[in-house]
Structure formats: structure tokens, C-alpha cells
Amino acid sequence: MSFLRAWLVAVVVAGVSIATSLPLVLLPQPAAAAQATDTIVVEGNRRVEAETVRSYFKAGPNGQFDQVALDDGLKALIETGLFQDVKVNRAGGHVVVSVVENSVIGRIAFEGNKKIKDEQLSAEIQSKPRGTFSRAMVQSDTLRIAEIYRRSGRYDVRVTPEIIEQPSNRVDLVFTVEEGVKTGVKSIDFIGNSAFSAARLRDVIKTHESNLLSFLSSGDIYDPDRVEADRDLIRRFYLKNGFADAQVVAAITEYDPNKKGFLVSFKIEEGQQYRVGTVDFRSSIANFDASSLRSFSRVNVGSLYNVESVEKSTEEMQIEASRRGYAFAVVRPSGDRNFESHTVSVVFNVDEGPRTYIERINLRGNTRTRDYVIRREFDLSEGDAYNRALVDRAERRLKNLDYFKSVKITTEPGSSSDRVILIVDMEEKSTGDFSISGGYSTTDGALAEVSVSERNLFGKGLFGKASVTYGQYARGLSLSFVEPYLLDYRIALGFDTYWRQQLSNSYTSYGVTTLGFSPRLGFALREDLSLQLRYSLYQQSITLASAYNNCNNNAANTSLAFNPTPAYIQSVLGGVDPTNSTSSGYYGYGCYADGESSLPVRKELSNGPTWTSALGYTLTYNTLDNTKNPTDGLLVDFKQDFAGVGGDVTYLKTALDTKYYTPLVSEIISVIHLQGGVLSKIGNNDLRMLDHFQMGPNLVRGFASNGIGPRDITYASYGATGDALGGTKYWGASMELQMPFWFLPKEVGLKGAVYADAGSLWGYQGPTSWAATGEVNTKACPTCGLQYDDSSVVRSSVGVGLIWASPFGPLRFDYAVPLTKGKYDVVQQFRFGGGTSF
């Protein structure tokens, strides 16, 4: 065996020697081996799987990676943001991908921010805790934070990111913010305007100039998007007032370092002002009479050309054509200008539109509001003919719900050429309100209210509100609920439950407590016409201080001692001058020295609580351009209530209230206010004093609350002012001119007013004695009975007012001087009222 082992060793050594001395001979390899598949080796990865990295590289048909594939993979890996560095090399027949992973963000902090909270900034940036750190993303976040501050008017903001290295490949990210001062709009100018003053145009736009009260609003903050929107507002304003060719050519903004604010200038080309020359209707649809749509036109010959009126007319005509069975009818307005006569001939053309159907209605963004709440605002559904006018109306209705920050309806192609998909994009907003409000008026004194309301209860479109009121002379509780779509019909069902207490004050000697419940139904007959039906059930009771009810004129009431009346003092005990302090009699004798309520009040008290059950309705016509601050339009309310559907009282009460606003010259607004009412007795039941109309400054300014109309004068000769009794008939007329103070910035919200009022209240039909059977204590009251003044004299006044749309709520100050009045009317020349929410 040792011999064999030695031989083998010798052979091996000899073979090696021969091999090293001979040239290398390469044997041919199989073709498949020459095209071996490339493999990818991943180096440096910690959190990202190697297979994930390999997936970004796509091999060719031969299984190898050419240079193009390697470059594409490199770019794709860098774009993921997962890696700080990526290198691709070939080594030993392999593709080696070396990566340096980005760090993981541990925490994100903000320092120096006072005006914007951390939560808001965190929501806006892309970098997130436990996310991948990316320098490019941090740079983008830095710019985003600066943009947020610029949107809030701080253009001097400086944002510095700081990266703090931590163990285990982690970093902390800190954004240091130098907020700077607020950058506002220092001036707003208009170039090319001649028809309207700069002050009038400033009232149209949303951007305001900075002033002393700017800290209470954000309208003076420079916002380029808002300035761009203001261009459209100005143009729409001109188009509404007859300037059909008006253009806002440019909105020029520049930063003035000396004023430390922006200067904004709008360049306007007004063109000519046009009036409507003729209005015509044409139809290309067989058997369709276009002139039948004339009643739906809001465009009148001779009036100023108003684009809004043309648009509303077009919409109503197109909807009416659809109702008549012409689902694809399209109304297109056209206008032919006459430059010499400055008129526009308006033609409404009714044509057959494309036969397009709605395939689907897709809703996006309604995270809280139920789908059916949105869909019921559409007058069309899937499968119906596409009607742009109805779509625009649905968009406007959704915006008016006030559930969303924004609503936009767009279309996308459907499954075929005659199908479209409606896309409704929405952004929800908060619909709940918690309000603490306070106010003061010369009538009700100090007043505070706490209320909680929700406009979109449970996301079902329901409205609910609860409020508590506590004041110097008024207190109350109320609960309200409204279902705007009863049984999926456009009928609003509402319920109100309330408790109110009006305490005695300097205008009334008695207090009234009311507990009631009122359901109601509301119908929108047209966009400018609505009807409300209601039922009211409430209980009323009188409260009266003992000093005002301690004179016994009622023989049946034996609990009170004998107290002579002023008439008895005058005729039996020997009348004296009550103004003479040395004499005895009125002031030192009897129960009348401390005052006494009127007979109807005391009789109401003796009758106890009274139930009223009434049916009523209100018909409202409203064309106001703005419900909060109207400048143009008509508002008419006609009300009737019939009491006697059960309960203790019967009557028919009718009231009409009309307000007409129209702009005059130089931003002066004329307001004409007409009102009137009648209370009619039904059957044999007497009318209560509490059911009568009570009037004061709500009819003619310059008079106290309940200061006008029939009044108890039983003790007037002794210096006593009796209670206001109210009347069954009234009328009132007022003419007011409202104008801004041109020397003050519009944002201050101050307006002046001058006015003249006239009106009257008369026709008391309440109780005048305790009973028809003679229940009067004739010994104590030989001439007892209600004596009252009920003259229908016209009351009139002139006055001035100051109206302030203040940040603390609407305030109004009035000073009026009566020109004519009744003998026993109560004058109050100064009046103030207002309140706020905070």
C-alpha cells in the first residue's frame, strides 16, 4: 500500500509539471452557458427587502440586464424616496446594487409658531413620524409651511428645517418658524372706472384695505386667489348693471417695502351701458311655441341689461321645456348690440340639444352626509335626459345647504357616446354651532343666550337647536327641530317647543308667561315664493305685583279691604290736588298711591291661565339680493292666524309686511316699509287684551315700546300712566335712506340712515268692566269702569340712525323726534339695540 501511495503522488506531481509547461487550451462551451442569466446582489439594505429592490430592474428577453435596464432601475429606486444613495455596478458576473437607506423619522416638532397650531402644520406637510426621511420632501415641506403663512398674510415668514441624528438610523425633524409681521393690503385702486366710484367697487370685492379693525377679520390679508376671484366679482357687477362689454383686464399687485404691505390695482374697461331694446323668443323644435315661455322671462324691455336676469330666465325656461316633455330642449340666449341707441336685443333660442342620458351620479367627499341627502337635491336621476340647467340648479342647492366648504359638479364620458357620468365633488365642513350671545336694548334690557344647534344632524340633513335665554326682563327656553324633506318630498316639517317669560318693566306693569308648542309645514312654491302652514297651541298667564292689584272694585272679592278709588276720593271724601304735598287725599289715602294695573290686566289675572289653539299660514315673496344686507329687491310677508280650533279664545288675525329696497345714487339705498294688520272678533267671545296688536318703535320710531295706541286713562287726572291696551287695527309707512360714510373704510361697517315714519293703532275691543251683570262694588267705586283713549290720530316722526355691522354683532342707534302723536302716547326719542356671539 505504501508503494501504491508513492506511485500516485509521483504521477500527480508529474502531471502538474507537464500542465505548467504546455500552453492553455480552451475547450468549446455549450451556447446556453455563454449566455448565463445575470443575478442581482443587493448590499446595504436594512429595512427594505432585497427582493423589493430587485423588482425595480427588468431583464431583457435573454435574461440579462443591459445598460438601459440598469439606468431605468436606478431612477426608479431613487424616485421611491426610500434611499439616500443608490449605486449600480457589475462585479464577478453579477449586478451589484449598493443602497444607503434613508433614515426613519422619529418625531416632528415645530418651534416659534404662534399664529398657526402644530396640528394644522402637521396635517399640511408630507413628512410623518415613523415615515421615511427624505431631504427633498423636507425641502418641499419647508416651502409648504411658508406658503401657509403667506396665505394668512405673513410674507416675511422664515422656515428653517433642522435634522437631528439619532441612534439606529433615526432622525428627529424640527421646523423653526420666524412668523414675521402680518402683511396686509394697504391700498385698493381702480383704473378706468367712471360709472361707479372706487368706494362702490370696494364694496363688491372680498379683499379689504387694512384698518384699525383688521385684527377682527382676515379680509385685508393679501391672497392672490382671492384677488383673482375679485376680478370676476367686479366683472359680474358690471354685467349686472348693463355694461355688457365690461372687462377687468388685469389685477396688478406689488409689494411696497415702505408701507410693508401690498398695493392692489384693478384695470377696468367699462364700455357702454346698455338697456334692453327688444325681447324675442324663437324655436327650432317642431310644435313648440317659444313665445309660451314669455312668462318665465325676467328680462323687461327698457330695463338695464342684466346678465343675471338673462341667466335665471334661461334656466327657468329650460326647466319648463323639460317639464312639457322636451327633455333635450336647450335654451340659448343671444344679444345683438345697437351701439348707437345703446340697447341690446335679447333673443331666447329654443333648440334641440344632443340626446344625452345620465348613466351614473357619483358622489365624492361626503364623509358624513348621507348619499340620499345629496341626491334629493337633484331634480333628475340615473337614466334621465341630461339637462344642464337642472344640474346647475342642483349645484346651487347643494351650496345653499351650507354643509360643504365647496361643491363642484362635473361630467365624464359614459360607457357610450350618448351617456355621461355626473361627478359631484364636495368637501365637508363643520355644521354644528355653540353660541354664547349677549345684547342690550332699551326695551328688553340686558340679555344673554346660550344655544346649541346642528344643521346636519346625524348626517341626515336634519336641523336641531336648543337655546336658553336669561335677561333683565326676558327669559326663556326653546327647542326646535326641522325635517327639510318630509317623506322625500320637498316639504319642510318643523316643531317648536318654547317657554317664555316677559317680566314687568317701565313699559308694562305686568308680566306674561307663555308655554307653547307649534308644528309647521313649509313649501317652496317657486324660488322666490314660499308658503308656511302652522298650528300653534300655547298657554298664557299674567303675573302682577301685589301693589298693582290691591284695590277692591269687585264685590265678589271679599279678601281685600275697602280701598276707595280716585273717583270716590274726588266725589265723596273731597278731592284734593295730588300734586300738593301738604294736602291729604290721593297720596296718603287708599290703595292707588303705589299704582294700580288696568282693569283688563287684573281681569286677565283673575281668569287664570288661558289656552290658545290657532291655525295659520304665511305667504312670502322674496327677491332680495342679500338676506343679511339687502340693497335691491322686494320682501312681502302675508300672515293669517285663526284661533278657535279648541282653546279658550277665538279671533282672526291678519298682517301684511312689505319692504322694498332699491339703490339710488352714490351708494344710497332707499328702503320703503309698509305694514298693516286687522284683528277680527269671531263669535260672542270677547277679545283678550293680550291678543291685541301692541305697537311702538316697530311702527313709528320715536315712541316707547307699547307707547302707541289705546291706553287706560282711568287715573290719568291723578298723574298715573295707565297700561297700553293695544288695538285691533294698525297701519304704518316708512321711508328710509341708508348711506355709507364715504370718509371711512368700508370694513368698519358703519352706515347712516335718515327716515320718516307714520302710522296709527286703534280699535280696542277688550274688556271695559268686570262683568255685564254689575259685579262692581258701587260703594267703593261709584263711577268704576275702564276709561281709555282710543283715537286714531296719525303718529309721525323723523329721525336719524347709525347702523353698525360690528364684529360684536349688529348694532343700531336711532334718534327720532315725533311730529304728531296721541295725547297719552309715550315718547322715547333714543333707542339702542344689538348683540353678539362669542
Side-chain angles (χ1 to χ4, degrees), residues 182-189 202 207-211 214 220 222 254-256 258-264:
K182 181 179 177 182
T183 311
V185 176
K186 298 303 180 181
S187 70
I188 300 176
D189 296 314
R202 290 190 190 102
T207 304
H208 307 321
E209 294 179 350
S210 298
N211 55 67
S214 294
D220 70 316
Y222 174 69
E254 59 178 329
Y255 181 77
D256 188 337
N258 296 325
K259 295 183 177 181
K260 295 184 179 180
F262 283 90
L263 310 180
V264 180

Side-chain angles (χ1 to χ4, degrees), residues 17-40:
S17 299
I18 295 172
T20 56
S21 62
L22 293 177
L24 179 64
V25 179
L26 297 176
L27 298 177
Q29 299 295 325
Q35 299 178 0
T37 302
D38 285 341
T39 59
I40 297 178

Side-chain angles (χ1 to χ4, degrees), residues 769-790:
S769 64
W770 279 97
T773 56
E775 205 177 30
V776 174
N777 186 341
T778 55
K779 292 182 178 179
C781 185
T783 59
C784 189
L786 178 67
Q787 302 176 40
Y788 62 96
D789 175 73
D790 192 3

Side-chain angles (χ1 to χ4, degrees), residues 467-774:
S467 65
V468 178
T469 303
Y470 190 88
Q472 188 174 357
Y473 302 120
R475 294 158 193 178
L477 301 170
S478 68
L479 293 173
S480 299
F481 173 82
V482 178
E483 162 58 85
Y485 277 81
L486 179 62
L487 302 177
D488 290 332
Y489 290 97
R490 198 175 292 277
I491 301 174
L493 172 65
F495 297 94
D496 296 305
T497 303
Y498 53 89
W499 173 83
R500 293 193 294 263
Q501 186 179 47
Q502 185 69 41
L503 304 179
S504 59
N505 51 46
S506 57
Y507 305 106
T508 57
S509 65
Y510 56 92
V512 180
T513 301
T514 305
L515 175 64
F517 169 74
S518 178
R520 62 187 187 278
L521 291 173
F523 306 84
L525 305 179
R526 291 187 332 202
E527 289 205 359
D528 56 1
L529 187 65
S530 62
L531 173 66
Q532 183 193 85
L533 305 178
R534 61 182 171 272
Y535 170 73
S536 300
L537 178 65
Y538 57 90
Q539 181 195 70
Q540 283 186 311
S541 58
I542 290 284
T543 57
L544 196 60
S546 59
Y548 295 157
N549 190 37
N550 59 358
C551 295
N552 187 11
N553 294 324
N554 188 347
N557 187 353
T558 58
S559 63
L560 294 176
F562 166 71
N563 285 290
T565 66
Y568 187 81
I569 296 172
Q570 179 75 21
S571 60
V572 179
L573 301 180
V576 295
D577 183 2
T579 62
N580 186 352
S581 59
T582 61
S583 62
S584 61
Y586 179 73
Y587 282 98
Y589 202 101
C591 63
Y592 293 93
D594 57 358
E596 188 76 2
S597 285
S598 299
L599 183 150
V601 176
R602 292 180 285 124
K603 186 169 185 179
E604 189 72 36
L605 179 67
S606 67
N607 290 336
T610 302
W611 285 95
T612 300
S613 176
L615 290 173
Y617 69 92
T618 300
L619 189 64
T620 302
Y621 177 74
N622 187 350
T623 62
L624 297 181
D625 59 343
N626 188 308
T627 55
K628 292 184 178 180
N629 187 26
T631 61
D632 192 11
L634 178 65
L635 175 63
V636 180
D637 277 333
F638 180 75
K639 302 178 181 180
Q640 279 196 310
D641 288 281
F642 169 71
V645 189
D648 302 319
V649 297
T650 58
Y651 61 77
L652 176 63
K653 184 177 288 188
T654 305
L656 175 67
D657 192 286
T658 301
K659 293 181 180 178
Y660 177 64
Y661 296 81
T662 182
L664 300 179
V665 294
S666 301
E667 305 173 66
I668 298 177
I669 306 300
S670 168
V671 185
I672 298 176
H673 185 192
L674 303 175
Q675 53 183 318
V678 176
L679 175 65
S680 302
K681 180 179 178 181
I682 297 178
N684 297 322
N685 291 342
D686 291 333
L687 293 173
R688 298 188 309 155
M689 183 200 71
L690 292 180
D691 294 328
H692 284 61
F693 297 111
Q694 295 283 359
M695 292 293 165
N698 55 333
L699 188 69
V700 180
R701 283 163 286 194
F703 292 87
S705 179
N706 298 350
I708 294 175
R711 183 172 298 275
D712 180 5
I713 60 172
T714 304
Y715 316 123
S717 60
Y718 293 89
T721 301
D723 290 302
L725 304 178
T728 58
K729 302 177 184 66
Y730 76 93
W731 66 268
S734 173
M735 173 67 180
E736 179 172 296
L737 298 179
Q738 298 179 357
M739 64 209 72
F741 293 104
W742 293 278
F743 55 87
L744 292 177
K746 179 196 68 175
E747 298 76 30
V748 176
L750 279 174
K751 292 192 298 183
V754 294
Y755 52 82
D757 297 344
S760 186
L761 172 69
W762 73 99
Y764 174 71
Q765 295 183 19
T768 57
S769 64
W770 279 97
T773 56

